[in-house]
Amino acid sequence: MNTKKILPLILLGALLFAAGCRAANPSSPTGTDPGAEATSPAETGSEADAIYLDPSQSPDARADDLLGRMTLEEKIGQMTLVEKNSITPQAVTDKFIGAVLSGGGGRPSTNDPEHWAEMVDGFQSKALETRLAIPLLYGVDAVHGHGNLKGATIFPHNIGLGAAADPDLMFRIGQATAEEVAATGIWWNFAPVLAVTQDIRWGRTYESYSQDPELVSLLASAYLRGLQGENLADPLTVLATPKHFVGDGGVVWGTSTTQNYSIDRGDTQIDEDGLRSIHLYPYLAAIEDGAQSVMVSFSSWNGTKLHEHQYLITEVLKGELGFEGFVVSDWAGIDEVDSNYYNAVVRAINAGIDMNMVPTQYDLFIMALTAAVENEEVPMDRIDDAVRRILRVKFMLGLFEAPFSDPDLRDIPGSQAHRELAREAVAKSLVLLQNRDDVLPAAKDLPLVFVAGDFADDVGVQSGGWTIEWQGGRGNITPGTTVLEAIRAAVGPDTDVRYNRFGTYDRVLDEDGNPAIAQLGIVVIGEAPYSEGVGDAEDLSIPEADVANIARVAERVEQLVVILISGRPLIITDQLDMADAWVAAWLPGTEGQGVADVLFGDRPFQGKLPFAWPLSMEQLPLGTNHDESPLFPLGYGLEAGR
């Protein structure tokens, strides 16, 4: 149909919706025949006889039965995922909305487990007031723990877990994260990230486990199994979402079309063999291990947006790989397919997107997709396939039998056992880059230790992006242990730990009244929190203020250690000789005690670089400059410990 004829149809549709002409009722169109009559359980016998209400039936049988009872409006509602601040609970009922999410920072006004559960249950109760009482699926970005929840355990970001390279650890972190998310009545996690990052200038580098597809596959699949357990209906398991399909880690610098971004959401320029061997590779194991939800990437492959890539979504993912779950868009990802929203919806849904993360203009999406079906530009069998996939997963999750949160689980988030697990993960993630004269591990009984740097006493910096807010934040944004607090807890009772963020200790004098010289200095530097394309960086050099801080502390200590808190390798070539030891601590999260455990020898250094550490910016992206070796190669990491 000529697109010029579409706009009047959409406007007409808007008027019809506003007038209530398409309000839900048992005579609305359903099935593959828009003129067919809808049926409710009561019209086909008692509700007890409805297959979809019978938990002894298979998810497939229940999904087929329920699908046959649904109107077009109810089906499109199931395909709609709305951000929680953009919709009222009553609108969930009125529009038959199938899913709601909390994006970064999408939390209740009182940020604790009880109010999270109350918020989610409020949406759920309104979903159950619809004609067929189809439960809501609520999703959240718990990418390194339940990061939006204050007081939750914040694990190291994926780059640090890639350095740990421990699949058993990943499995246990998946279990712990699932438990903390489920405790708030949520059973859908938008994780893990399967990106195989090739250019560390990308602001999402820290969400990637490694530049090595085999390591990404190993760790992501272990984490997925931990999240989902052996049975998705278990109340302490959650639905995982491998993302972002596919090739997001291969985007090319300068190809982003998003304002103020340089590489995020850009174009992956690679042939199909390369796409498959590097970027598709981790999805093979994820699907084999039971992935039932996959999120599509904002990025493009050789100029075509993934959100409209029918070959990759339908033929490869659903066909060749046998993926039986549902495909969800990223945040307003469909909008980027075409400047004409109607055309964007048609192309994306026909390409194989099953659920649209709208996230705000849900009425517009519903109207556009309804018009597309009525115009026969999106076939009913495509709608039915999408909804069947969504319903099947809801049945697998046991939502129809247990849709609400369990108050008995409210004490799980931030539990001591989970914090100890995160502490273990931090310790295993640290990479010792340099250790001149075996300064590390340090003795716990040193008389005087100087600590410097803004980031030494900042749990927000340690946690990075996707913590409480989308971009993260500075300071005490959530309970945790800072590196400074950890150092003070680790040393002996007679050790004097002096902290000055600027590295000036003019008032610290020795017995003779002269400037005291500490046996050990520790300077903590790195990157302030960021996420997604906000973190795209053309220059990864450490700031001059940090260089000056290192120099000041070096004059007042016998041995100096620099700890890097960062979401990727930084350029430190010219500063390397300024300190005796350098430690990559990545973004360790709330349990800074794990850093001190390794610094002072309670645990050994065992982390290995998941990315090659560049000598200079000219070596980026990875592997483009073959004349010089990197400063430290992939897999590098010194071992030291007691």
Side-chain angles (χ1 to χ4, degrees):
M1 179 174 288
N2 190 315
T3 56
K4 292 182 179 179
K5 298 180 180 179
I6 296 302
L7 292 178
L9 288 172
I10 293 180
L11 292 174
L12 175 61
L15 292 172
L16 290 172
F17 269 79
C21 295
R22 289 195 179 123
N25 60 73
S27 61
S28 298
T30 186
T32 56
D33 178 6
E37 297 294 313
T39 59
S40 68
E43 293 169 347
T44 57
S46 68
E47 289 197 3
D49 295 331
I51 292 175
Y52 86 91
L53 295 174
D54 182 359
S56 69
Q57 298 288 331
S58 70
D60 290 288
R62 298 177 76 183
D64 285 338
D65 178 68
L66 179 53
L67 185 68
R69 302 172 185 274
M70 296 174 69
T71 67
L72 177 61
E73 189 175 10
E74 288 166 335
K75 292 176 181 179
I76 291 177
Q78 287 299 302
M79 299 172 67
T80 307
L81 171 58
V82 188
E83 187 267 332
K84 71 100 177 171
N85 288 326
S86 303
I87 191 168
T88 64
Q90 184 58 47
V92 170
T93 306
D94 297 341
K95 300 295 184 179
F96 307 101
I97 299 300
V100 173
L101 81 145
S102 285
R107 58 185 185 272
S109 56
T110 301
N111 193 356
D112 60 26
E114 180 179 358
H115 287 86
W116 267 91
E118 180 181 299
M119 176 185 71
V120 175
D121 286 348
F123 283 112
Q124 188 67 273
S125 65
K126 301 305 289 187
L128 296 178
E129 290 181 10
T130 56
R131 182 177 68 92
L132 295 170
I134 303 174
L136 189 79
L137 187 56
Y138 199 104
V140 67
D141 285 290
V143 296
H144 64 143
H146 198 349
N148 281 346
L149 171 62
K150 188 173 184 178
T153 307
I154 305 300
F155 294 93
H157 268 297
N158 286 351
I159 192 169
L161 299 176
D166 184 340
D168 175 69
L169 175 68
M170 291 305 308
F171 179 83
R172 289 182 285 135
I173 290 174
Q175 286 182 315
T177 300
E179 291 170 3
E180 298 207 3
V181 171
T184 56
I186 299 171
W187 291 283
W188 188 16
N189 184 8
F190 303 140
V193 172
L194 270 58
V196 186
T197 300
Q198 302 297 294
D199 191 334
I200 62 172
R201 292 175 291 183
W202 187 30
R204 303 193 81 149
T205 296
Y206 65 79
E207 296 186 60
S208 173
Y209 296 104
S210 176
Q211 72 185 72
D212 177 7
E214 291 191 9
L215 183 57
V216 172
S217 179
L218 179 70
L219 300 182
S221 289
Y223 176 76
L224 182 148
R225 293 193 301 272
L227 286 176
Q228 297 197 161
E230 296 183 359
N231 182 0
L232 277 173
D234 186 308
L236 289 177
T237 63
V238 302
L239 177 68
T241 309
K243 64 181 188 183
H244 306 86
F245 188 82
V246 60
D248 53 338
V251 286
V252 174
W253 183 265
T255 62
S256 179
T257 57
T258 301
Q259 187 177 12
N260 299 324
Y261 291 6
S262 296
I263 187 170
D264 188 41
R265 308 188 185 189
D267 190 24
T268 297
Q269 299 171 358
I270 193 173
D271 62 22
E272 185 166 348
D273 287 343
L275 185 77
R276 286 175 175 270
S277 63
I278 298 172
H279 303 290
L280 186 64
Y281 182 83
Y283 287 90
L284 306 181
I287 292 169
E288 184 177 342
D289 285 335
Q292 296 296 328
S293 169
V294 167
M295 184 180 292
V296 174
S297 176
F298 281 119
S299 60
S300 303
W301 178 40
N302 294 331
T304 301
K305 285 284 185 182
L306 266 298
H307 276 77
E308 63 169 324
H309 215 298
Q310 186 170 3
Y311 170 67
L312 289 176
I313 297 173
T314 298
E315 295 185 35
V316 175
L317 178 62
K318 294 181 176 179
E320 180 183 328
L321 302 188
F323 175 64
E324 297 181 344
F326 68 88
V327 174
V328 61
S329 81
D330 207 332
W331 182 280
I334 284 179
D335 300 35
E336 300 185 7
V337 168
D338 195 296
S339 59
N340 180 308
Y341 186 70
Y342 176 89
N343 289 343
V345 169
V346 169
R347 287 158 62 181
I349 299 301
N350 283 337
I353 301 291
D354 301 311
M355 183 185 288
N356 181 20
M357 189 187 298
V358 178
T360 58
Q361 300 295 325
Y362 57 91
D363 273 330
L364 181 61
F365 169 68
I366 290 169
M367 287 188 290
L369 186 52
T370 301
V373 174
E374 293 174 347
N375 294 337
E376 299 183 352
E377 293 199 60
V378 173
M380 274 303 304
D381 59 3
R382 173 76 274 273
I383 299 295
D384 286 347
D385 173 61
V387 177
R388 182 182 289 107
R389 289 170 176 270
I390 294 165
L391 295 176
R392 176 178 168 275
V393 173
K394 289 187 174 184
F395 285 118
M396 293 177 70
L397 284 165
L399 290 178
F400 284 77
E401 286 67 56
F404 294 110
S405 66
D406 182 350
D408 292 339
L409 306 180
R410 302 283 163 78
D411 292 336
I412 290 178
S415 69
Q416 188 59 36
H418 289 173
R419 291 187 181 276
E420 287 299 323
L421 175 61
R423 179 176 176 176
E424 175 190 345
V426 173
K428 289 182 173 179
S429 72
L430 266 60
V431 179
L432 184 58
L433 301 174
Q434 178 170 285
N435 194 27
R436 197 162 54 203
D437 298 326
D438 293 328
V439 59
L440 294 176
K444 294 183 178 182
D445 58 355
L446 298 173
L448 181 61
V449 175
F450 286 160
V451 180
D454 273 345
F455 296 171
D457 196 27
D458 195 317
V459 74
V461 166
Q462 290 175 198
S463 299
W466 297 108
T467 311
I468 306 301
E469 301 289 350
W470 172 44
Q471 292 294 319
R474 297 288 302 269
N476 297 322
I477 61 175
T478 193
T481 301
T482 68
V483 172
L484 175 63
E485 292 168 337
I487 291 170
R488 285 177 167 157
V491 298
D494 297 327
T495 298
D496 185 6
V497 177
R498 298 294 185 98
Y499 171 62
N500 183 284
R501 61 194 183 100
F502 300 112
T504 56
Y505 306 95
D506 296 339
R507 297 182 180 180
V508 184
L509 307 176
D510 62 18
E511 294 178 353
D512 299 324
N514 298 315
I517 302 298
Q519 289 71 40
L520 180 67
I522 300 173
V523 182
V524 186
I525 63 173
E527 296 183 300
Y530 57 82
S531 66
E532 297 194 45
V534 177
D536 291 351
E538 191 169 10
D539 185 5
L540 297 178
S541 301
I542 61 175
E544 287 300 319
D546 286 341
V547 177
N549 208 346
I550 294 170
R552 281 193 296 271
V553 177
E555 294 177 354
R556 296 291 301 271
V557 300
E558 294 176 3
Q559 293 181 308
L560 180 61
V561 176
V562 176
I563 299 174
L564 288 171
I565 304 290
S566 67
R568 52 199 160 192
L570 303 178
I571 305 301
I572 60 172
T573 305
D574 293 341
Q575 293 79 38
L576 200 59
D577 288 338
M578 295 177 67
D580 299 287
W582 287 77
V583 178
W586 314 112
L587 297 171
T590 54
E591 305 316 301
Q593 199 65 52
V595 176
D597 288 341
V598 180
L599 292 182
F600 293 95
D602 290 330
R603 287 180 176 270
F605 279 97
Q606 60 188 87
K608 306 297 180 184
L609 288 180
F611 291 88
W613 199 291
L615 187 71
S616 65
M617 292 301 298
E618 286 68 36
Q619 288 188 323
L620 298 177
L622 303 171
T624 56
N625 187 335
H626 299 287
D627 296 330
E628 292 182 289
S629 298
L631 183 62
F632 303 112
L634 174 70
Y636 173 87
L638 300 176
E639 296 181 3
R642 295 176 178 173

